Amino acid sequence: MGPLVVIVGMLLMVVIHEAGHFITAKFFDMKATEAFFGFGPRLWSTTKGETEYGIKAIPLGGYVRIVGMNPFEDVPAEEEHRTYRFKPFWQKAIVVLAGIFSHFVVAFILFYIVACLLYTSDAADDLA
């Protein structure tokens, strides 16, 4: 059971990390065309709006494709204002750091849960 919990936890952490990038990119009106867990060939995908969500065969990470992160990418002029490269530095920095920040949020939540469980356990012992 222990190794399964670790594996599921790592998979969830990758998804949460990429969600941090994705959510902040969408908040700043950047065009994100792909949000995938894994690398390699597609196993499953679905498109909702302008974004394709899916799972790929090699579960060693994930990615969010934001239009304009590649400086050599050709973008239609009418969509240039939604590219990563068009946005101000502070917005790009927030998008990049959002993935890292998600780890601190998850750590805080886990520490809070553990502290509550320990406090509840100690309180129950004091009543006995």
Side-chain angles (χ1 to χ4, degrees):
M1 179 74 172
L4 180 64
V5 170
V6 170
I7 291 169
V8 169
M10 301 254 318
L11 296 177
L12 282 174
M13 217 45 242
V14 168
V15 171
I16 292 168
H17 175 98
E18 295 305 328
H21 296 306
F22 180 77
I23 291 167
T24 53
K26 292 302 246 179
F27 180 79
F28 292 125
D29 195 34
M30 295 179 193
K31 185 174 183 178
T33 57
E34 292 182 354
F36 275 86
F37 171 75
F39 302 107
R42 282 179 175 85
L43 296 177
W44 171 85
S45 72
T46 186
T47 301
K48 183 177 179 189
E50 64 190 11
T51 308
E52 181 182 10
Y53 304 90
I55 300 172
K56 293 196 172 191
I58 305 168
L60 296 177
Y63 70 93
V64 174
R65 183 180 177 282
I66 302 170
V67 173
M69 286 191 92
N70 176 351
F72 304 111
E73 180 178 11
D74 289 328
V75 178
E78 64 273 5
E79 290 192 358
E80 184 66 34
H81 70 284
R82 296 193 61 212
T83 63
Y84 178 85
R85 64 180 170 229
F86 181 82
K87 299 298 181 177
F89 175 78
W90 67 272
Q91 289 182 1
K92 292 188 271 192
I94 290 173
V95 169
V96 169
L97 294 173
I100 298 166
F101 182 71
S102 70
H103 297 286
F104 290 99
V105 172
V106 170
F108 177 80
I109 291 168
L110 291 175
F111 281 131
Y112 181 78
I113 290 169
V114 168
C116 287
L117 291 174
L118 291 175
Y119 177 77
T120 304
S121 174
D122 288 343
D125 290 343
D126 290 342
L127 293 175

